[in-house]
Amino acid sequence: MRKGKSAIGRLLVVAIFGLAVGCATSSGSKGNLQVSDSWITTRAENEVKELGSTGQTVRVKSVDGVIYLEGQVKSIAEAEKLEEKVSSIRGVREVRNNLVVRP
């Protein structure tokens, strides 16, 4: 009976590891874990929303770990802050900041 429990335990560990690796695949990487562009985009959109009113005029797209920011912001400082926040997201390789300042 002890042998059966040990084999089941090992199988469970392998299954959990396989699930974890399978969930974190696709593009872009910071560190050793890769994440999908859709995950990066969602995280970046959440960062935009945290800035408040700007979130309605900024569009975010991620392709192969590169984030594209497009739209309007109220100041250069706001654009820089947004670029800094999204660049720290795991999986982001580069940020292309195409934001336009419209006070």
Side-chain angles (χ1 to χ4, degrees):
M1 187 70 136
R2 180 120 171 101
K3 221 177 200 181
K5 285 184 179 180
S6 178
I8 291 172
R10 279 189 234 138
L11 182 60
L12 184 59
V13 169
V14 170
I16 291 171
F17 179 76
L19 181 62
V21 170
C23 288
T25 58
S26 190
S27 57
S29 66
K30 262 192 181 163
N32 294 329
L33 184 64
Q34 292 186 328
V35 295
S36 70
D37 283 320
S38 61
W39 185 87
I40 292 170
T41 299
T42 300
R43 289 291 308 268
E45 287 171 343
N46 288 338
E47 294 292 348
V48 169
K49 288 176 186 173
E50 283 184 16
L51 287 178
S53 62
T54 301
Q56 296 176 358
T57 58
V58 174
R59 291 174 305 285
V60 178
K61 182 171 84 169
S62 177
V63 177
D64 295 328
V66 178
I67 290 184
Y68 296 87
L69 298 173
E70 298 177 347
Q72 299 175 5
V73 292
K74 294 179 182 178
S75 68
I76 293 173
E78 195 172 2
E80 290 172 348
K81 182 178 180 181
L82 184 55
E83 181 176 352
E84 180 183 332
K85 287 183 104 177
V86 299
S87 69
S88 67
I89 295 171
R90 182 178 39 145
V92 173
R93 295 184 306 114
E94 180 182 347
V95 177
R96 302 247 174 112
N97 189 341
N98 299 319
L99 296 170
V100 177
V101 176
R102 297 255 162 91

